[in-house]
């Protein structure tokens, strides 16, 4: 086990004149004063410098935490590599493999024709996994001669920590664009840092795909927000579209979950377009950019069929097709438009279902079926005994968002601010959407109602629905919370610094004056920043001064033994998580690994895991030898697992899938039967002849047991 120890009525998209008091200060007879221009330029420069500085400070902060937690600079290379747990180690191994190759060309050839990641099979790593970032970094490290100044592993982790600077800068810019003041960006960045536990996990899962992807997604969100500003010059609009395309492409290239995130973003755009809250032409461009980016990634991944058969591609194609079939959605009265929208949504969903099923049947796709089984079981559409679906259901990361997340977010006041802003914005959006759909722009209404309408600009509307849909995703699946929590910081900071929001509130209570709005929008974030500094500065300093050390002697001993006592072409079986480290640290051939997006690999993993089920030694030996296995690693932490409750332990999932009753006190389904064999991982340790004739123990420590498989059945 790993441990740490002490080291020692107005149209919604228009802005009423009376609410632009901050612009009137700089206007006289329609001309902007020279002093106003100078102040805007000075504010832009100061805000830019502060945003870049906060990004860099965040990058240094997480890098320091990583060093202090592991004493990374002092531990051995094998310990550094072991610290990249589960799939993180698998991804980093390809960076290491590229650097160890005699040339870039041979390195790429080794990835395209890889026969070490899955035994007895040659797979294309570039097609199967999102590892182009490792390829790019390895090439950059080679050609830049960085080896003279920096070790490969440091070049890798410093790149990831540098992306955090881009991430925070993008959040800063988004909040600034929404509110009109860079003070909002400062507050968003401070909230991101003080809520680090819930906004990022980069310091302890460095190579994880989301740590590569989320900074680019934040940049894309900032670019989309800017794109929806009114009166953009054609040149600025084209440059912004280019920024949206580049950031979307890099995001898609970096993360295998890209299609699901883009699907939610497409739903955001679709919802707002139906409610007439976004300019239709710009929405169309974003749809096209999304599809083009993902298809370009599909091309780079050697026409990965899972991308082509994704719901996202079918959904976007259906939207564009439905638009051609129904081009009069924005005419008529309220009930007429609601009816048209209902038919439009029905048409889009029907087309999506038909197109997606057609593509999957033509391409014979089954790679993502485990996801739909998981979702079906998760949302109560029937229990399942499917091993893969249950494996996801029992993982905490794929469960509901824990309630203590909101407690931590409330400690920094960000959650309270977020709910306050969200409540006002949702009501405002409902009013504006009703006005748009009812065609009441020119209908007489009370002066109070007109002034209470929140000038719901397209960028604000987009971020509102964005935060709602990604919030629902986070609530249902904890692993996706990092897409939402960072945006909570942005959205809450925007609202507290928004002159529009405070103007609306003060008008509602009959206290509106431009001066009061100005005082509140600046004083509120300043007071919160002072509170955050007062409450969290001592904790941050204590955290930075706490020194720990990586300590996992059992795994280090195992890796060293494998490197010294097994052939270089030996095939090793074990748990997915452990085998990723085996590949990285030893370079041996694996039977299975944690990248779980391939159907044949999922079936293979289930078969390999029979060593933790109630199976005979002959059957386990036959299964493992069918994959060419030479050595098998058994882990006590899995065989005697206590982390999960009964029914969610790995051995329980295998028993249920095999039709066997589970161990321990508790109920079993009536159709489950007692296995005629004891649990293999327990019984093999008794060294009975029926086991030793197939498996010979060659290594053991407190955590791991390694057995060598007999090549052929021995005779007695």
């Amino acid at each position: 086990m790993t441990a740490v120890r002490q080291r020692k009525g107005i149209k919604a998209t228009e802005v009423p004149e009376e609410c632009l008091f901050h612009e009137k200060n700089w206007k006289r007879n329609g001309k902007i004063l020279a002093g106003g221009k100078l102040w805007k330029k000075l504010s832009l420069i100061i805000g830019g410098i502060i945003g870049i500085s906060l990004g860099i400070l965040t990058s240094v902060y997480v890098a320091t935490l990583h060093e202090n937690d592991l004493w990374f600079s002092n531990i051995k290379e094998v310990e550094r590599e072991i610290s990249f747990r589960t799939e993180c180690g698998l991804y980093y191994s390809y960076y290491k493999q590229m650097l160890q190759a005699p040339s870039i060309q041979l390195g790429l050839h080794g990835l395209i024709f890889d026969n070490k990641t899955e035994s007895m099979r040659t797979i294309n790593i570039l097609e199967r996994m999102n590892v182009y970032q490792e390829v790019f970094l390895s090439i950059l490290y080679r050609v830049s001669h960085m080896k003279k100044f920096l070790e490969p592993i440091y070049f890798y982790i410093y790149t990831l920590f540098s992306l955090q600077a881009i991430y925070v800068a993008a959040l800063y810019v988004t909040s600034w664009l929404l509110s009109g003041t860079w003070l909002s960006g400062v507050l968003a960045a401070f909230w991101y840092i003080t809520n680090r536990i819930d906004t990022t996990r980069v310091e302890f899962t460095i190579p994880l795909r989301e740590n590569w992807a989320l900074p680019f997604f934040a940049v894309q969100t900032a670019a989309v927000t800017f794109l929806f500003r009114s009166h953009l010059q054609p040149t600025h609009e084209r440059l912004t579209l280019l920024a949206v395309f580049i950031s979307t492409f890099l995001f898609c290239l970096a993360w295998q979950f890209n299609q699901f995130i883009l699907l939610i973003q497409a739903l955001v755009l679709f919802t707002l377009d139906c409610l007439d809250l976004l300019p239709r032409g710009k929405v169309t461009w974003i749809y096209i950019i999304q599809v083009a980016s993902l298809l370009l990634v599909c091309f780079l991944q050697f026409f990965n069929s899972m991308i082509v058969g994704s719901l996202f591609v079918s959904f976007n194609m259906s939207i564009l097709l439905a638009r051609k079939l129904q081009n009069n959605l924005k005419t008529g009265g309220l009930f007429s438009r609601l009816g048209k929208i209902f038919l439009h949504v029905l048409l889009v969903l029907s087309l999506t279902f038909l197109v997606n099923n057609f593509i999957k049947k033509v391409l014979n796709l089954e790679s993502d079926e485990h996801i739909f089984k998981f979702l079906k079981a998760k949302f109560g559409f029937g229990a399942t005994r499917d091993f893969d679906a249950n494996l996801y259901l029992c993982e905490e990361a794929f469960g509901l968002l824990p309630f203590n997340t909101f407690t931590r977010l409330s400690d920094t006041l960000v959650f309270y601010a977020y709910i306050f802003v969200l409540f006002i914005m949702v009501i405002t959006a409902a009013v504006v959407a009703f006005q748009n759909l009812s065609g009441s722009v020119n209908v007489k209404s009370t002066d109070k109602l007109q002034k209470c309408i929140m000038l719901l600009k397209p960028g604000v509307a987009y971020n509102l629905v964005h935060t709602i849909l990604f919030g629902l995703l986070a609530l249902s699946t904890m692993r996706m919370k990092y897409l939402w929590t960072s945006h909570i910081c942005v959205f809450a900071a925007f609202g507290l610094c928004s002159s529009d929001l405070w103007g609306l509130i003060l008008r509602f209570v009959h206290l509106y004056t431009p001066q009061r709005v100005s005082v509140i929008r600046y004083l509120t974030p300043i007071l919160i920043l002072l509170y955050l500094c007062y409450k969290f500065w001592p904790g941050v300093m204590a955290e930075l001064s706490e020194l720990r050390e990586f300590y996992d002697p059992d795994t280090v001993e195992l890796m060293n033994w494998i490197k010294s006592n097994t052939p270089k072409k030996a095939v090793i079986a074990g748990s997915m998580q452990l085998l990723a480290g085996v590949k990285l640290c030893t370079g041996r051939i694996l039977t299975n690994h944690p990248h779980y997006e391939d159907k044949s690999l999922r079936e293979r993993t289930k078969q390999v895991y029979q060593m933790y089920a109630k199976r005979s030694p002959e059957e386990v030996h036959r299964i493992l030898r069918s994959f060419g296995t030479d050595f098998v690693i058994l882990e006590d932490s899995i065989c005697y697992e206590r982390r999960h409750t009964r029914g969610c332990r790995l051995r329980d999932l295998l028993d249920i899938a095999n039709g066997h009753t589970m161990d321990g006190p508790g109920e079993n389904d009536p159709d489950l039967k007692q296995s005629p064999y004891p649990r293999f991982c327990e019984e093999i340790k008794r060294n009975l002849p029926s086991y030793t004739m197939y498996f010979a123990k060659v290594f053991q420590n407190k955590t791991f047991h390694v057995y060598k498989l007999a090549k052929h059945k021995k005779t007695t």
Side-chain angles (χ1 to χ4, degrees):
M1 295 294 292
T2 306
V4 291
R5 61 180 181 184
Q6 294 298 323
R7 190 191 313 171
K8 313 221 172 181
I10 305 168
K11 197 165 183 179
T13 55
E14 294 177 354
V15 181
E17 289 296 324
E18 65 267 27
C19 294
L20 295 179
F21 63 87
H22 54 283
E23 290 189 10
K24 287 186 177 182
N25 293 333
W26 306 112
K27 291 186 178 181
R28 184 174 295 165
N29 298 324
K31 296 181 180 179
I32 298 178
L33 297 174
K37 284 185 176 181
L38 179 62
W39 168 246
K40 284 186 176 181
K41 289 181 180 179
L42 184 61
S43 178
L44 185 65
I45 293 171
I46 294 173
I49 292 172
I50 292 175
I52 294 171
S53 301
L54 286 171
I56 294 172
L57 285 173
T58 305
S59 176
V60 173
Y61 174 55
V62 293
T64 304
L65 290 177
H66 175 259
E67 167 63 25
N68 289 357
D69 193 49
L70 300 177
W71 203 3
F72 203 73
S73 60
N74 190 66
I75 59 179
K76 299 175 183 178
E77 187 70 12
V78 65
E79 293 175 306
R80 292 174 178 174
E81 292 177 347
I82 291 172
S83 70
F84 295 151
R85 296 293 179 182
T86 64
E87 60 187 287
C88 297
L90 182 68
Y91 297 134
Y92 182 80
S93 72
Y94 299 119
Y95 170 75
K96 180 179 178 181
Q97 182 177 325
M98 281 290 295
L99 290 177
Q100 290 178 340
S103 66
I104 294 173
Q105 292 79 4
L106 290 175
L108 289 171
H109 184 273
L111 292 180
I112 296 172
F113 301 97
D114 180 273
N115 55 12
K116 288 189 173 183
T117 304
E118 295 177 17
S119 60
M120 303 181 72
R121 183 184 295 169
T122 298
I123 63 173
N124 185 344
I125 298 298
L126 296 180
E127 182 265 335
R128 182 82 73 81
M129 305 180 197
N130 298 71
V131 295
Y132 269 101
Q133 49 268 53
E134 278 75 19
V135 172
F136 172 75
L137 270 194
S138 64
I139 294 173
L140 184 61
Y141 186 82
R142 279 175 176 269
V143 301
S144 62
H145 304 289
M146 287 298 296
K147 64 178 69 175
K148 298 178 182 177
F149 313 102
L150 205 60
E151 295 176 56
I153 197 166
Y154 274 105
F155 182 67
Y156 186 90
I157 65 172
Y158 285 166
T159 300
L160 266 299
F161 292 142
S162 298
L163 283 177
Q164 283 293 297
I166 296 175
Y167 194 7
V168 171
L171 299 176
Y172 177 97
V173 169
T174 304
S175 195
W176 184 358
L177 288 170
L178 291 171
S179 66
T181 172
W182 50 259
L183 189 59
S184 171
V186 174
L187 183 56
F190 266 67
W191 266 332
Y192 177 86
I193 295 168
T194 53
N195 291 284
R196 175 184 56 81
I197 293 175
D198 294 301
T199 54
T200 183
R201 49 179 174 170
V202 66
E203 74 271 18
F204 60 90
T205 58
I206 297 175
L208 207 61
R209 301 299 84 180
E210 69 188 46
N211 295 328
W212 285 98
L214 291 186
F216 297 118
F217 189 65
V219 171
Q220 189 239 41
T221 303
V224 168
T225 302
F226 185 79
L227 178 67
F228 285 135
R229 301 187 83 174
S230 57
H231 310 303
L232 275 185
Q233 296 179 9
T235 304
H236 292 166
E237 186 170 320
R238 285 193 291 269
L239 289 174
T240 306
L241 286 170
L242 179 62
V244 173
F245 171 72
I246 293 173
S247 55
T248 305
F249 166 70
L250 292 175
F251 165 74
C252 292
L253 192 66
W255 200 11
Q256 70 268 29
F257 292 147
N258 49 37
Q259 52 183 291
F260 306 108
I261 307 307
L262 290 185
L263 176 61
I264 293 176
Q265 188 179 50
L267 285 170
V268 173
L269 297 169
F270 180 68
T271 302
L272 291 168
D273 186 36
C274 288
L275 297 176
D276 200 14
L277 293 174
L278 292 180
R280 196 168 196 186
K282 293 180 179 180
V283 171
T284 303
W285 271 112
I286 297 176
Y287 284 144
I288 294 171
I289 285 172
Q290 285 182 323
V291 174
S293 300
L294 199 59
L295 291 181
L296 181 56
V297 170
C298 178
F299 171 76
L300 290 175
Q301 289 193 265
F302 296 81
F303 300 98
N304 185 314
S305 57
M306 191 173 175
I307 295 176
V308 179
S310 66
L311 270 177
F312 163 74
V313 172
S314 303
F315 182 69
N316 273 29
M317 289 172 59
S318 301
I319 290 174
L320 296 174
L321 180 59
R323 279 184 167 195
K324 294 294 183 182
L325 299 174
Q326 292 177 299
N327 54 9
N328 62 340
L329 288 176
K330 300 187 178 182
T331 58
L334 175 62
F335 293 105
S336 174
R337 292 190 66 176
L338 287 175
K340 289 177 181 179
I341 289 173
F342 175 77
L343 292 176
H344 183 63
V345 171
L346 189 63
L347 176 61
V348 169
L349 295 179
S350 300
L351 285 172
T352 300
F353 177 78
L354 292 173
V355 170
N356 190 252
N357 275 273
F358 175 76
I359 292 174
K360 286 186 174 180
K361 288 198 176 294
V362 169
L363 299 179
N364 193 27
L365 294 180
E366 296 178 314
S367 296
D368 58 354
E369 64 176 5
H370 65 298
I371 297 174
F372 294 103
K373 288 180 181 178
F374 160 70
L375 292 174
K376 182 180 176 182
K378 182 179 178 69
F379 294 110
F381 295 104
T384 179
R385 290 183 179 177
D386 182 78
F387 175 76
D388 302 318
N390 283 328
L391 202 59
Y392 280 106
L393 285 170
C394 288
E395 278 301 315
E396 185 182 6
F398 292 94
L400 300 177
L401 189 66
F403 185 77
N404 59 11
T405 304
F406 304 108
T407 304
R408 291 191 298 269
L409 293 174
S410 299
D411 287 342
T412 63
L413 305 182
V414 67
F415 191 64
Y416 296 129
Y418 175 76
I419 294 299
F420 167 71
V421 175
L422 186 66
F423 176 75
I424 295 172
M425 293 301 300
V426 166
I427 293 176
T428 301
V431 172
V432 174
F434 176 80
Q435 276 201 335
N436 287 346
L437 294 176
S438 61
S440 61
V441 173
N442 297 318
V443 175
K444 185 178 179 181
S445 59
T446 65
D447 183 62
K448 180 182 287 188
L449 177 61
Q450 292 285 8
K451 289 182 178 180
C452 284
I453 293 178
M454 176 72 176
L455 335 143
L456 196 69
K457 301 166 190 169
V460 175
Y462 169 78
N463 279 273
L464 171 63
V465 182
H466 175 107
T467 198
I468 291 173
L469 292 192
F470 279 102
L472 294 175
L473 177 66
L475 291 172
S476 65
T477 308
M478 189 184 74
R479 181 173 179 178
M480 296 299 174
K481 74 174 181 177
Y482 302 101
L483 286 156
W484 182 49
T485 49
S486 58
H487 199 264
I488 284 178
C489 303
V490 170
F491 200 74
F494 138 70
L496 295 186
C497 297
S498 170
S499 59
D500 298 331
L501 184 142
W502 288 116
L504 175 66
I505 294 172
L506 291 178
R507 279 194 180 90
F508 190 74
V509 296
H510 305 288
L511 294 174
Y512 173 81
T513 65
Q515 293 76 18
R516 283 178 182 156
V517 170
S518 186
V519 169
I520 293 174
R521 74 180 294 220
Y522 291 118
L523 185 60
T524 303
I526 289 173
L527 291 175
I528 292 176
L529 287 169
L530 290 174
Y531 166 79
L532 293 176
C533 291
Y534 171 77
K535 183 171 182 179
F536 293 97
W537 181 259
V540 169
M541 290 297 100
E543 193 176 35
L544 290 173
S545 62
E546 185 177 5
L547 304 178
R548 299 186 178 189
E549 178 184 357
F550 177 84
Y551 185 70
D552 190 1
D554 290 349
T555 306
V556 171
E557 184 185 13
L558 173 67
M559 298 303 173
N560 287 333
W561 182 88
I562 292 174
K563 288 176 70 175
S564 303
N565 296 276
T566 63
K568 290 186 177 180
K569 293 187 177 181
V571 177
I572 299 180
S575 68
M576 295 184 289
Q577 297 83 354
L578 179 63
L579 290 186
V582 169
K583 184 181 187 309
L584 171 58
C585 297
T586 71
R588 300 305 187 260
I589 302 172
L590 313 180
T591 55
N592 53 303
H593 55 82
H595 196 272
Y596 214 54
E597 313 307 320
D598 180 74
K599 183 180 180 181
S600 61
L601 175 66
R602 293 195 296 271
E603 292 173 348
R604 172 184 282 225
T605 299
K606 180 183 175 182
Q607 289 299 307
V608 170
Y609 277 5
Q610 294 303 313
M611 58 191 181
Y612 293 110
K614 298 172 182 176
R615 294 284 184 143
S616 67
E618 296 91 344
E619 193 171 7
V620 173
H621 181 269
R622 178 185 58 78
I623 291 171
L624 294 178
R625 283 303 300 162
S626 70
F627 301 125
T629 306
D630 297 310
F631 297 88
V632 59
I633 306 173
L634 294 173
E635 301 171 60
D636 287 345
S637 59
I638 297 178
C639 191
Y640 306 107
E641 182 183 358
R642 297 178 183 275
R643 185 169 66 95
H644 291 104
T645 58
R646 185 177 185 270
C648 265
R649 299 169 298 189
L650 179 62
R651 62 181 188 265
D652 296 335
L653 301 184
L654 290 165
D655 289 342
I656 293 171
N658 293 338
H660 298 154
T661 56
M662 296 180 286
D663 293 337
E667 295 183 358
N668 290 286
D669 289 343
D671 59 327
L672 295 178
K673 299 179 180 179
Q674 188 73 31
S675 172
Y677 303 103
R679 192 165 305 282
F680 176 83
C681 64
E682 296 176 355
E683 198 70 9
I684 192 175
K685 295 170 186 176
R686 298 178 59 191
N687 294 321
L688 298 175
S690 57
Y691 287 81
T692 56
M693 68 186 299
Y694 297 105
F695 302 92
K697 183 183 289 186
V698 291
F699 174 83
Q700 176 183 351
N701 62 22
K702 291 184 294 183
T703 306
F704 305 105
H705 303 262
V706 181
Y707 296 86
K708 184 176 182 179
L709 276 70
K711 297 291 183 181
H712 304 286
K713 181 178 178 180
K714 297 179 182 179
T715 57
T716 56

